[in-house]
Amino acid sequence: MCVLGFASLVFGVSGLRAVPSQSLSIWPAASDLPSIRLPRIEAAPMNTAASKTKSNTSCDLDRSQQPAITPRSSHASVTVVPGGAFNGVSGDDQGDGGAVQGSVRPPGSKSLTNRALVCAAFASGTSRLTGSLVSEDTEVMIASLSKVGVKIESLDAGRTLVVEGVTAADSAGDELNGPPIEMFIANSGTTVRFLTAALSAFGGKYRLSGVDRMHERPIGDLVDAISPAIDGSITAVSDGGCPPVEIDAKGWSGRSMSVAGGVSSQYLSGLMMAGPIASKPIELKITGQLVSIPYVRMTAKLMEAFGGQTDWDLEASQAIRVSGSYSACDYAIEPDASAASYFWAAAAVSGGRVTVEGLSEDALQGDVGFVRVLEQMGCEVNATDHSIEVVGGDLHGVDVNMSEISDTVQTLAVVALFADSPTRVRGVAHNRFKETDRIGNLAIELRKLGAQVDEHEDGLTIHPLPAEASSGHGDPVEMETYNDHRMAMSFAVAGLRIPNVRILNPACTGKTYPEFWADLEKLTGRPHHWQGGLTEKGKT
Ligand SMILES: O=C(O)C1=C[C@@H](OP(=O)(O)O)[C@@H](O)[C@H](O)C1
Ligand SMILES: C=C(OP(=O)(O)O)C(=O)O
């Protein structure tokens, strides 16, 4: 049965450079994490007790041993043009230098597109996914699924995907004697984690590899969860339990698995989505605290739309039972809420007013909760059942656990620069394992703007930018993006307020939002300044 539900969700709320060498633990103490029940995100006033973490992970990365971060893919840079009441221009002015005002509809959600692709790929029948994201992360998912025999037709410039699923009968049994099917998953965490689970359940011989950074991002806990249940073998090849992943299997023979939740929720989501592909009910036990919980609820809702069933009571038993099988579905994908955070932040830092269309507070994506943090900081939030508007106000620092909305930490850190008191971000130790170290490298870059930023094991304290720093620097400040789309998009928000913020490798937004720069230009009504030969394709 196809359920197009937008169920309500309670908020819980690379240039070449050696990374600093330090030991890293990523297992936050229970006291530092949100309770397993989804709380509404409450950003407390600053100055609550500092958090503690303990080291207890099989996925520690010895960063002194890591290769250098992937080089920048382009030598271009972009400087967005500041504006707003804070730069001597009335907040009511439109156009050049004015506060950011307007509305925008971001492209489809990466998380929903890649989930819907997996469920549709292993469903009986033909699904139609509308509002899909067209970006690197979805392209590598589509290319990989196509290699398993899934037929995916792209209409409307990729925004509609017609997916003809494969079933267990089509499983790649023949390939078991031949070489593995090679899949390139770039730096897409959702793709490698979802497919590792799904393909091991489906059966066949596969090798999933990506860019250098992907080979530093942990997947060992997922491989460890699958190993005892697999009829065959599964290996994470790189040191510390990181991709490439090699699978040689006839599917899953076990029915119960245990997975650690503290490094990434994508492991659990992957196992959940793989359950119906394994064609028999399974039970998943979560060990330790679970990060990014709203994504797991999103997984359950998405699966439901395609006929997968999940029965879970995280609070009582930390266990999820998965059953059912997938059947084709027409599914409408929400705009991306993490992408929306940059536009809401643009209103916050420029004293403007921005409406994001196509999202409501009932969205499946927990990142819509970002607006409630902005509200705690002093912004006004006006939500309807199809849009969320943020109106800038006087900004105050907050103390907030962002474990549930960790993709918006960089956005919030930039907004925090313009508050009148410090902001403490907690609960995001796992952010060190994303496209780059989103704690350490974020602190390095924000300091370039003149901010005092304290790095903690589980987050950051961002102190307000001194007045002289927010009025700009004579020379451009070059902001490294580490090939991390969210660094680039967040620094664009800083550039809306601070003159001469030059963002390197802007094309890295292509991971989830190739049209970001064009959409921001449209919203601000003023062209950015491009340097260094970025092509029109790169720009848009
Ligand atoms: O399941 C998903 O779609 C995602 C889960 C989150 O990862 P973690 O669970 O690793 O925090 C998030 O950062 C990522 O962008 C998308
Ligand atoms: C962490 C992210 O992506 P992923 O883990 O899917 O690569 C992200 O998009 O911010």
Side-chain angles (χ1 to χ4, degrees), residues 62-88:
D62 175 356
R63 295 199 293 164
S64 62
Q65 299 301 309
Q66 288 176 32
I69 290 168
T70 312
R72 288 205 293 275
S73 58
S74 99
H75 296 290
S77 63
V78 62
T79 305
V80 299
V81 178
F86 308 96
N87 286 283

PDB file of all heavy atoms in Angstrom, residues 62-88:
ATOM      1  N   ASP A  62      42.672   7.507  13.678  1.00  0.00           N
ATOM      2  CA  ASP A  62      43.920   8.141  14.063  1.00  0.00           C
ATOM      3  C   ASP A  62      44.215   9.165  12.984  1.00  0.00           C
ATOM      4  O   ASP A  62      44.697   8.847  11.908  1.00  0.00           O
ATOM      5  CB  ASP A  62      45.020   7.086  14.145  1.00  0.00           C
ATOM      6  CG  ASP A  62      46.367   7.738  14.427  1.00  0.00           C
ATOM      7  OD1 ASP A  62      46.420   8.976  14.475  1.00  0.00           O
ATOM      8  OD2 ASP A  62      47.344   6.989  14.588  1.00  0.00           O
ATOM      9  N   ARG A  63      43.911  10.422  13.288  1.00  0.00           N
ATOM     10  CA  ARG A  63      43.946  11.403  12.213  1.00  0.00           C
ATOM     11  C   ARG A  63      45.362  11.727  11.754  1.00  0.00           C
ATOM     12  O   ARG A  63      45.555  12.265  10.682  1.00  0.00           O
ATOM     13  CB  ARG A  63      43.170  12.645  12.624  1.00  0.00           C
ATOM     14  CG  ARG A  63      41.699  12.291  12.790  1.00  0.00           C
ATOM     15  CD  ARG A  63      40.819  13.478  12.739  1.00  0.00           C
ATOM     16  NE  ARG A  63      41.031  14.348  13.872  1.00  0.00           N
ATOM     17  CZ  ARG A  63      40.607  15.591  13.924  1.00  0.00           C
ATOM     18  NH1 ARG A  63      39.977  16.105  12.908  1.00  0.00           N
ATOM     19  NH2 ARG A  63      40.796  16.329  14.979  1.00  0.00           N
ATOM     20  N   SER A  64      46.367  11.372  12.578  1.00  0.00           N
ATOM     21  CA  SER A  64      47.723  11.607  12.112  1.00  0.00           C
ATOM     22  C   SER A  64      48.068  10.652  10.971  1.00  0.00           C
ATOM     23  O   SER A  64      48.981  10.885  10.202  1.00  0.00           O
ATOM     24  CB  SER A  64      48.710  11.417  13.258  1.00  0.00           C
ATOM     25  OG  SER A  64      48.625  10.083  13.711  1.00  0.00           O
ATOM     26  N   GLN A  65      47.306   9.551  10.890  1.00  0.00           N
ATOM     27  CA  GLN A  65      47.561   8.558   9.848  1.00  0.00           C
ATOM     28  C   GLN A  65      46.730   8.808   8.586  1.00  0.00           C
ATOM     29  O   GLN A  65      46.861   8.105   7.610  1.00  0.00           O
ATOM     30  CB  GLN A  65      47.202   7.156  10.352  1.00  0.00           C
ATOM     31  CG  GLN A  65      48.014   6.705  11.567  1.00  0.00           C
ATOM     32  CD  GLN A  65      49.490   6.704  11.267  1.00  0.00           C
ATOM     33  OE1 GLN A  65      49.907   6.131  10.281  1.00  0.00           O
ATOM     34  NE2 GLN A  65      50.277   7.370  12.108  1.00  0.00           N
ATOM     35  N   GLN A  66      45.841   9.776   8.660  1.00  0.00           N
ATOM     36  CA  GLN A  66      44.946   9.949   7.521  1.00  0.00           C
ATOM     37  C   GLN A  66      45.655  10.625   6.359  1.00  0.00           C
ATOM     38  O   GLN A  66      46.493  11.484   6.560  1.00  0.00           O
ATOM     39  CB  GLN A  66      43.759  10.837   7.908  1.00  0.00           C
ATOM     40  CG  GLN A  66      42.796  10.135   8.817  1.00  0.00           C
ATOM     41  CD  GLN A  66      41.714  11.087   9.233  1.00  0.00           C
ATOM     42  OE1 GLN A  66      41.353  11.967   8.470  1.00  0.00           O
ATOM     43  NE2 GLN A  66      41.215  10.914  10.417  1.00  0.00           N
ATOM     44  N   PRO A  67      45.269  10.252   5.157  1.00  0.00           N
ATOM     45  CA  PRO A  67      45.790  10.998   4.022  1.00  0.00           C
ATOM     46  C   PRO A  67      45.234  12.421   4.027  1.00  0.00           C
ATOM     47  O   PRO A  67      44.257  12.700   4.712  1.00  0.00           O
ATOM     48  CB  PRO A  67      45.256  10.213   2.818  1.00  0.00           C
ATOM     49  CG  PRO A  67      44.145   9.382   3.325  1.00  0.00           C
ATOM     50  CD  PRO A  67      44.365   9.181   4.786  1.00  0.00           C
ATOM     51  N   ALA A  68      45.877  13.298   3.271  1.00  0.00           N
ATOM     52  CA  ALA A  68      45.383  14.676   3.197  1.00  0.00           C
ATOM     53  C   ALA A  68      43.967  14.680   2.651  1.00  0.00           C
ATOM     54  O   ALA A  68      43.571  13.780   1.906  1.00  0.00           O
ATOM     55  CB  ALA A  68      46.288  15.476   2.281  1.00  0.00           C
ATOM     56  N   ILE A  69      43.223  15.677   3.046  1.00  0.00           N
ATOM     57  CA  ILE A  69      41.860  15.819   2.557  1.00  0.00           C
ATOM     58  C   ILE A  69      41.885  15.991   1.036  1.00  0.00           C
ATOM     59  O   ILE A  69      42.829  16.534   0.481  1.00  0.00           O
ATOM     60  CB  ILE A  69      41.222  17.042   3.248  1.00  0.00           C
ATOM     61  CG1 ILE A  69      41.000  16.670   4.713  1.00  0.00           C
ATOM     62  CG2 ILE A  69      39.930  17.468   2.593  1.00  0.00           C
ATOM     63  CD1 ILE A  69      40.654  17.832   5.562  1.00  0.00           C
ATOM     64  N   THR A  70      40.855  15.497   0.413  1.00  0.00           N
ATOM     65  CA  THR A  70      40.767  15.562  -1.042  1.00  0.00           C
ATOM     66  C   THR A  70      41.055  16.979  -1.554  1.00  0.00           C
ATOM     67  O   THR A  70      40.520  17.938  -1.022  1.00  0.00           O
ATOM     68  CB  THR A  70      39.337  15.188  -1.456  1.00  0.00           C
ATOM     69  OG1 THR A  70      39.007  14.003  -0.763  1.00  0.00           O
ATOM     70  CG2 THR A  70      39.229  14.971  -2.940  1.00  0.00           C
ATOM     71  N   PRO A  71      41.865  17.121  -2.554  1.00  0.00           N
ATOM     72  CA  PRO A  71      42.170  18.464  -3.055  1.00  0.00           C
ATOM     73  C   PRO A  71      40.933  19.182  -3.599  1.00  0.00           C
ATOM     74  O   PRO A  71      39.981  18.533  -3.996  1.00  0.00           O
ATOM     75  CB  PRO A  71      43.151  18.209  -4.191  1.00  0.00           C
ATOM     76  CG  PRO A  71      43.567  16.812  -4.091  1.00  0.00           C
ATOM     77  CD  PRO A  71      42.534  16.075  -3.316  1.00  0.00           C
ATOM     78  N   ARG A  72      41.021  20.478  -3.621  1.00  0.00           N
ATOM     79  CA  ARG A  72      39.931  21.248  -4.219  1.00  0.00           C
ATOM     80  C   ARG A  72      39.774  20.826  -5.664  1.00  0.00           C
ATOM     81  O   ARG A  72      40.736  20.594  -6.361  1.00  0.00           O
ATOM     82  CB  ARG A  72      40.271  22.743  -4.207  1.00  0.00           C
ATOM     83  CG  ARG A  72      40.222  23.358  -2.861  1.00  0.00           C
ATOM     84  CD  ARG A  72      39.966  24.840  -2.993  1.00  0.00           C
ATOM     85  NE  ARG A  72      41.069  25.549  -3.618  1.00  0.00           N
ATOM     86  CZ  ARG A  72      42.123  25.991  -2.938  1.00  0.00           C
ATOM     87  NH1 ARG A  72      42.234  25.754  -1.662  1.00  0.00           N
ATOM     88  NH2 ARG A  72      43.070  26.662  -3.544  1.00  0.00           N
ATOM     89  N   SER A  73      38.524  20.750  -6.091  1.00  0.00           N
ATOM     90  CA  SER A  73      38.304  20.325  -7.461  1.00  0.00           C
ATOM     91  C   SER A  73      38.354  21.512  -8.409  1.00  0.00           C
ATOM     92  O   SER A  73      38.338  21.356  -9.608  1.00  0.00           O
ATOM     93  CB  SER A  73      36.964  19.608  -7.577  1.00  0.00           C
ATOM     94  OG  SER A  73      35.943  20.477  -7.147  1.00  0.00           O
ATOM     95  N   SER A  74      38.394  22.714  -7.875  1.00  0.00           N
ATOM     96  CA  SER A  74      38.495  23.864  -8.766  1.00  0.00           C
ATOM     97  C   SER A  74      39.231  24.975  -8.024  1.00  0.00           C
ATOM     98  O   SER A  74      39.306  24.982  -6.803  1.00  0.00           O
ATOM     99  CB  SER A  74      37.105  24.337  -9.186  1.00  0.00           C
ATOM    100  OG  SER A  74      36.700  25.436  -8.415  1.00  0.00           O
ATOM    101  N   HIS A  75      39.806  25.887  -8.772  1.00  0.00           N
ATOM    102  CA  HIS A  75      40.526  26.989  -8.150  1.00  0.00           C
ATOM    103  C   HIS A  75      39.665  28.243  -8.109  1.00  0.00           C
ATOM    104  O   HIS A  75      40.149  29.333  -7.851  1.00  0.00           O
ATOM    105  CB  HIS A  75      41.834  27.254  -8.890  1.00  0.00           C
ATOM    106  CG  HIS A  75      42.771  26.091  -8.793  1.00  0.00           C
ATOM    107  ND1 HIS A  75      43.390  25.747  -7.620  1.00  0.00           N
ATOM    108  CD2 HIS A  75      43.142  25.161  -9.700  1.00  0.00           C
ATOM    109  CE1 HIS A  75      44.127  24.664  -7.809  1.00  0.00           C
ATOM    110  NE2 HIS A  75      43.984  24.279  -9.070  1.00  0.00           N
ATOM    111  N   ALA A  76      38.411  28.081  -8.374  1.00  0.00           N
ATOM    112  CA  ALA A  76      37.527  29.232  -8.375  1.00  0.00           C
ATOM    113  C   ALA A  76      37.176  29.635  -6.953  1.00  0.00           C
ATOM    114  O   ALA A  76      37.385  28.887  -6.005  1.00  0.00           O
ATOM    115  CB  ALA A  76      36.260  28.886  -9.136  1.00  0.00           C
ATOM    116  N   SER A  77      36.653  30.835  -6.809  1.00  0.00           N
ATOM    117  CA  SER A  77      36.130  31.265  -5.509  1.00  0.00           C
ATOM    118  C   SER A  77      34.998  32.243  -5.763  1.00  0.00           C
ATOM    119  O   SER A  77      34.828  32.747  -6.881  1.00  0.00           O
ATOM    120  CB  SER A  77      37.233  31.909  -4.680  1.00  0.00           C
ATOM    121  OG  SER A  77      37.690  33.075  -5.319  1.00  0.00           O
ATOM    122  N   VAL A  78      34.232  32.491  -4.738  1.00  0.00           N
ATOM    123  CA  VAL A  78      33.109  33.407  -4.876  1.00  0.00           C
ATOM    124  C   VAL A  78      33.013  34.291  -3.636  1.00  0.00           C
ATOM    125  O   VAL A  78      33.306  33.852  -2.521  1.00  0.00           O
ATOM    126  CB  VAL A  78      31.782  32.629  -5.102  1.00  0.00           C
ATOM    127  CG1 VAL A  78      31.447  31.744  -3.924  1.00  0.00           C
ATOM    128  CG2 VAL A  78      30.623  33.569  -5.397  1.00  0.00           C
ATOM    129  N   THR A  79      32.644  35.545  -3.865  1.00  0.00           N
ATOM    130  CA  THR A  79      32.397  36.460  -2.757  1.00  0.00           C
ATOM    131  C   THR A  79      30.954  36.920  -2.876  1.00  0.00           C
ATOM    132  O   THR A  79      30.574  37.533  -3.889  1.00  0.00           O
ATOM    133  CB  THR A  79      33.336  37.681  -2.855  1.00  0.00           C
ATOM    134  OG1 THR A  79      34.680  37.204  -2.927  1.00  0.00           O
ATOM    135  CG2 THR A  79      33.175  38.597  -1.656  1.00  0.00           C
ATOM    136  N   VAL A  80      30.146  36.592  -1.896  1.00  0.00           N
ATOM    137  CA  VAL A  80      28.758  37.070  -1.970  1.00  0.00           C
ATOM    138  C   VAL A  80      28.717  38.505  -1.465  1.00  0.00           C
ATOM    139  O   VAL A  80      29.563  38.926  -0.680  1.00  0.00           O
ATOM    140  CB  VAL A  80      27.782  36.183  -1.164  1.00  0.00           C
ATOM    141  CG1 VAL A  80      27.755  34.768  -1.693  1.00  0.00           C
ATOM    142  CG2 VAL A  80      28.112  36.178   0.298  1.00  0.00           C
ATOM    143  N   VAL A  81      27.747  39.263  -1.937  1.00  0.00           N
ATOM    144  CA  VAL A  81      27.708  40.688  -1.614  1.00  0.00           C
ATOM    145  C   VAL A  81      26.891  40.899  -0.341  1.00  0.00           C
ATOM    146  O   VAL A  81      25.749  40.459  -0.253  1.00  0.00           O
ATOM    147  CB  VAL A  81      27.093  41.485  -2.785  1.00  0.00           C
ATOM    148  CG1 VAL A  81      26.994  42.967  -2.430  1.00  0.00           C
ATOM    149  CG2 VAL A  81      27.926  41.277  -4.035  1.00  0.00           C
ATOM    150  N   PRO A  82      27.507  41.537   0.673  1.00  0.00           N
ATOM    151  CA  PRO A  82      26.776  41.725   1.924  1.00  0.00           C
ATOM    152  C   PRO A  82      25.655  42.747   1.778  1.00  0.00           C
ATOM    153  O   PRO A  82      25.595  43.492   0.806  1.00  0.00           O
ATOM    154  CB  PRO A  82      27.827  42.240   2.896  1.00  0.00           C
ATOM    155  CG  PRO A  82      29.103  42.311   2.163  1.00  0.00           C
ATOM    156  CD  PRO A  82      28.829  42.147   0.707  1.00  0.00           C
ATOM    157  N   GLY A  83      24.822  42.762   2.774  1.00  0.00           N
ATOM    158  CA  GLY A  83      23.744  43.751   2.771  1.00  0.00           C
ATOM    159  C   GLY A  83      23.106  43.808   4.126  1.00  0.00           C
ATOM    160  O   GLY A  83      23.642  43.302   5.096  1.00  0.00           O
ATOM    161  N   GLY A  84      21.946  44.420   4.193  1.00  0.00           N
ATOM    162  CA  GLY A  84      21.204  44.426   5.443  1.00  0.00           C
ATOM    163  C   GLY A  84      21.405  45.685   6.241  1.00  0.00           C
ATOM    164  O   GLY A  84      22.289  46.500   5.974  1.00  0.00           O
ATOM    165  N   ALA A  85      20.575  45.843   7.243  1.00  0.00           N
ATOM    166  CA  ALA A  85      20.554  47.029   8.074  1.00  0.00           C
ATOM    167  C   ALA A  85      21.883  47.218   8.796  1.00  0.00           C
ATOM    168  O   ALA A  85      22.177  48.287   9.299  1.00  0.00           O
ATOM    169  CB  ALA A  85      19.431  46.899   9.083  1.00  0.00           C
ATOM    170  N   PHE A  86      22.681  46.148   8.850  1.00  0.00           N
ATOM    171  CA  PHE A  86      23.904  46.199   9.642  1.00  0.00           C
ATOM    172  C   PHE A  86      25.064  46.790   8.863  1.00  0.00           C
ATOM    173  O   PHE A  86      26.131  46.959   9.381  1.00  0.00           O
ATOM    174  CB  PHE A  86      24.254  44.788  10.109  1.00  0.00           C
ATOM    175  CG  PHE A  86      23.085  44.142  10.774  1.00  0.00           C
ATOM    176  CD1 PHE A  86      22.252  43.300  10.070  1.00  0.00           C
ATOM    177  CD2 PHE A  86      22.792  44.424  12.096  1.00  0.00           C
ATOM    178  CE1 PHE A  86      21.165  42.731  10.682  1.00  0.00           C
ATOM    179  CE2 PHE A  86      21.701  43.856  12.714  1.00  0.00           C
ATOM    180  CZ  PHE A  86      20.878  43.011  11.998  1.00  0.00           C
ATOM    181  N   ASN A  87      24.875  47.028   7.588  1.00  0.00           N
ATOM    182  CA  ASN A  87      25.953  47.582   6.783  1.00  0.00           C
ATOM    183  C   ASN A  87      25.603  48.990   6.305  1.00  0.00           C
ATOM    184  O   ASN A  87      25.955  49.393   5.222  1.00  0.00           O
ATOM    185  CB  ASN A  87      26.261  46.660   5.604  1.00  0.00           C
ATOM    186  CG  ASN A  87      27.002  45.430   6.075  1.00  0.00           C
ATOM    187  OD1 ASN A  87      28.194  45.499   6.349  1.00  0.00           O
ATOM    188  ND2 ASN A  87      26.276  44.349   6.214  1.00  0.00           N
ATOM    189  N   GLY A  88      24.876  49.669   7.129  1.00  0.00           N
ATOM    190  CA  GLY A  88      24.554  51.047   6.829  1.00  0.00           C
ATOM    191  C   GLY A  88      23.437  51.187   5.826  1.00  0.00           C
ATOM    192  O   GLY A  88      23.194  52.257   5.276  1.00  0.00           O
TER     193      GLY A  88
END
